[in-house]
């Protein structure tokens, strides 16, 4: 009785210790499993969005799986600041841009307005109306070294590092989009800012530079203005744009009010060419 009484506090303490350890281990396992599961679900959800949007565009399941594979190989398992634009070369090869003569619409700092317009009017095509553009528009993604997951949070921002997966994608896709442009191309630029053309934008840095004079006849700027315009077609930055074009590509610029563009978006009776 006495011996048992002296041993029991030890036993009890050991028992408490064991129970605590087991609980801790269990807790760690549960937390690890749920973190893993959440990541997995995030990864799966991103893949589902990609494939869902791809199928909506294409109506061809097997092809979309291939395209997903080519896309994921560009950044999965990589440091998210070490994904150069070339990493997407196999993706562009798997889902090439289709040449669109006289219908290519570039833009810079006018995204919402352009898409309100092109969504309703068939006559112009932006990068977001291509397969890859429509699949990835508005999404964020990155990988991590040693992981085969896709992360949609905690990814480097646009300016955190040059070679981040999202920025490199838009750089690479914009180059491919400009490569297939032909005939007369249009660019909707923002007349409410002091420099509607910026050589640091994707439009200035990549698209304008890739236009090939053997295929592209002219670059037509639509400068979107408000009632009290901040600038006009004489703007110095637009002179820079004209200079950047290869010899042989004609340049034109028109000031068009935002309300006129909205009117054209909502009224299909106005022929596309007559909007500006
Ligand atoms: O840097 P920008 O514009 O000049 O790029 C626009 C230019 C367009 O002509 C498009 O063809 O480059 C192409 N492009 C996209 O299609 C696109 N979709 C979504 C470039 N960027 C694109 N995004 C996102 O918009 C991208 O993640 C980045 O943050 C912005 C760039 O917009 P901007 O500076 O107005």
């Amino acid at each position: 009785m006495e011996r048992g009484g002296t041993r029991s506090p030890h036993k009890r303490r050991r028992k408490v210790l064991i129970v605590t350890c087991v609980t801790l281990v269990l807790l760690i396992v549960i937390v690890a499993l749920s973190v893993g599961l959440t990541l997995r679900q995030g990864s799966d959800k991103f893949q589902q969005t990609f494939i869902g949007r791809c199928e909506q565009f294409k109506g061809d399941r097997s092809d979309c799986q291939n395209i997903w594979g080519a896309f994921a190989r560009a950044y999965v398992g990589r440091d998210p600041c070490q994904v150069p634009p070339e990493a997407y070369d196999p993706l562009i090869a798997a889902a090439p841009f289709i040449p669109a003569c006289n219908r290519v619409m570039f833009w810079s700092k006018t995204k919402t307005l352009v898409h309100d317009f092109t969504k309703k009017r068939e006559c112009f095509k932006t990068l977001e109306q291509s397969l890859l553009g429509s699949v990835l528009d508005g999404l964020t993604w990155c990988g991590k070294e040693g992981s085969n997951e896709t992360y949609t949070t905690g990814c480097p921002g646009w300016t955190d590092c040059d070679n981040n997966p999202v920025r490199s994608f838009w750089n690479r896709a914009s180059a491919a989009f400009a490569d297939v442009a032909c005939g007369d191309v249009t660019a909707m630029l923002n007349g409410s800012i002091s420099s509607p053309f910026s050589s640091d934008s994707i439009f200035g840095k990549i698209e304008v530079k890739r236009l090939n004079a053997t295929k592209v006849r002219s670059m037509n700027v639509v400068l979107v203005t408000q009632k009290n315009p901040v600038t006009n077609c004489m703007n110095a930055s637009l002179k820079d744009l004209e200079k950047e074009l290869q010899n042989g590509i004609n340049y034109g610029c028109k000031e068009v009010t935002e309300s006129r563009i909205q009117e054209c978006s909502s009224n299909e009776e106005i022929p596309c060419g007559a909007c500006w």
Side-chain angles (χ1 to χ4, degrees), residues 105-111 127-128 137-138 158 166 170 174 177 200-204 207:
M105 171 69 86
F106 298 109
W107 52 269
S108 195
K109 313 288 182 278
T110 51
K111 189 174 183 196
L127 172 50
E128 290 73 15
D137 192 26
W158 190 257
V166 176
W170 289 112
S174 301
F177 182 59
D200 281 341
S201 64
I202 295 186
F203 174 63
E207 292 173 327

Side-chain angles (χ1 to χ4, degrees), residues 71-92:
F71 170 70
R73 278 190 289 278
Y75 65 90
V76 166
R78 287 208 195 186
D79 175 337
C81 277
Q82 305 274 335
V83 178
E86 304 78 66
Y88 292 102
D89 286 355
L91 172 68
I92 305 289

Side-chain angles (χ1 to χ4, degrees), residues 192-214:
S192 301
I193 51 179
S194 53
S195 290
F197 174 72
S198 157
S199 47
D200 281 341
S201 64
I202 295 186
F203 174 63
K205 203 162 49 184
I206 297 182
E207 292 173 327
V208 167
K209 294 206 161 103
R210 302 279 287 224
L211 295 178
N212 184 333
T214 61

